[in-house]
Amino acid sequence: MKQRPVLVTFLVVQLIGTCCLGLWQRAPSALGMPMWGTALIALFPGNFLGGWIVDTLLWRSRLPLIGMGLLSLLVALVINAIIWFVVAKAVRSIYAYI
């Protein structure tokens, strides 16, 4: 089986970010802030763009906050996937010319 390092790295980083995002409030205070920071960095830039998109488009909807949070996370993961794979494609094309 051919290994896809970009896909594996993307999935691991996003999984760590998602786990930290879901658990930082329940962690002891010594771990809570580092987990929050890890989620912020691992899910960047999709967490900001996804939150803004969902907030702008769906704030007046009847979705509960948990639903908006999950939708925001889903949009963030999609945005991050697009950005990761566009950057990976660009880097591969640059290295093809070297």
Side-chain angles (χ1 to χ4, degrees):
M1 184 170 129
K2 184 178 176 184
Q3 216 177 30
R4 308 230 181 237
V6 174
L7 179 63
V8 171
T9 305
F10 170 76
L11 291 174
V12 168
V13 168
Q14 298 304 300
L15 181 67
I16 290 171
T18 303
C19 289
C20 287
L21 181 67
L23 297 174
W24 76 269
Q25 292 176 335
R26 292 166 185 80
S29 60
L31 290 175
M33 288 307 289
M35 287 177 72
W36 178 83
T38 301
L40 179 72
I41 292 169
L43 296 175
F44 182 80
N47 53 355
F48 291 116
L49 293 173
W52 178 75
I53 289 169
V54 170
D55 184 44
T56 302
L57 296 178
L58 298 175
W59 182 250
R60 294 187 184 262
S61 70
R62 301 280 182 188
L63 282 175
L65 288 179
I66 189 78
M68 286 185 67
L70 291 174
L71 188 59
S72 177
L73 178 64
L74 179 66
V75 172
L77 293 175
V78 169
I79 290 170
N80 284 343
I82 292 168
I83 291 171
W84 272 65
F85 291 108
V86 166
V87 169
K89 184 82 168 170
V91 168
R92 283 184 187 147
S93 68
I94 289 171
Y95 278 123
Y97 290 112
I98 294 178

